[in-house]
Amino acid sequence: MTESESETESESERTGTFLVTAADEESAVLKDVHSGQVHALSSNPGVSEDEAVRGTVAPDPPMNVSWQLVEVESRWTVSVERSTESPTTNSRDIAADNPDGELVREERAGTGEIHVLSVPDDMTEQAVDDILDDREGLLSRAARLDVNRVEIRSQPGVVAVRYMP
């Protein structure tokens, strides 16, 4: 291998944070949570669906159509849960100051974010269901924020999605 070939191969490696969107015994699919690029792995290095992986993928030669996870810096499982608790006073105050359909993002003290959505009272359950239906979106945001838990709290007119460590 010449020096220029080595440079080309290393340039095609991708380092980032990935969500495992599918996995079985033989292969896995990783999605870059920042760019959205999908990497089909030719083998499964032991990852499971709903895991986030910070690491490096490299294309399989010679065709470069499948990938290998060549380095893992860290990995963690992300959970999504619908809480029976009401939104916090802070979330309710944010929702009260915004028109229906408005989403407000606020940093949490420490790590993570809280997304507060104001909705018509009679649409609260539908809004929660719609949010839960976008599981991949919830997991991707959690991985981007470097957290391992997504908690959805609601009460009539308010939905709070909490991304927490």
Side-chain angles (χ1 to χ4, degrees):
M1 180 179 315
T2 68
E3 187 174 305
S4 64
E5 287 173 348
S6 176
E7 286 176 13
T8 302
E9 282 186 14
S10 66
E11 288 176 4
S12 62
E13 287 184 351
R14 306 277 193 271
T15 298
T17 303
F18 305 93
L19 176 67
V20 181
T21 59
D24 60 27
E25 292 178 9
E26 298 175 10
S27 65
V29 177
L30 305 182
K31 180 179 179 182
D32 186 308
V33 300
H34 295 284
S35 71
Q37 183 174 3
V38 175
H39 304 278
L41 302 184
S42 57
S43 63
N44 185 338
V47 296
S48 303
E49 231 175 288
D50 296 350
E51 274 190 314
V53 177
R54 186 173 298 110
T56 303
V57 294
D60 283 327
M63 301 292 287
N64 295 339
V65 294
S66 60
W67 298 78
Q68 288 288 327
L69 183 59
V70 295
E71 182 181 330
V72 176
E73 181 183 318
S74 61
R75 63 190 255 195
W76 64 98
T77 301
V78 180
S79 67
V80 176
E81 69 180 62
R82 180 183 212 151
S83 176
T84 57
E85 294 185 45
S86 295
T88 63
T89 301
N90 183 49
S91 293
R92 292 191 308 265
D93 290 346
I94 291 169
D97 292 339
N98 290 294
D100 287 345
E102 285 292 314
L103 174 71
V104 176
R105 295 175 187 195
E106 187 172 282
E107 286 187 28
R108 287 187 74 247
T111 303
E113 283 185 357
I114 300 171
H115 297 182
V116 179
L117 178 64
S118 303
V119 296
D121 289 358
D122 63 342
M123 296 296 294
T124 304
E125 287 304 310
Q126 181 62 51
V128 171
D129 290 343
D130 289 348
I131 291 167
L132 286 167
D133 283 347
D134 183 21
R135 185 171 179 81
E136 187 175 311
L138 292 169
L139 296 170
S140 290
R141 277 190 280 308
R144 266 194 310 276
L145 293 168
D146 199 27
V147 300
N148 60 5
R149 192 168 129 219
V150 181
E151 177 187 77
I152 301 168
R153 295 181 176 189
S154 66
Q155 73 175 44
V158 181
V159 179
V161 182
R162 300 160 46 96
Y163 294 91
M164 303 181 297

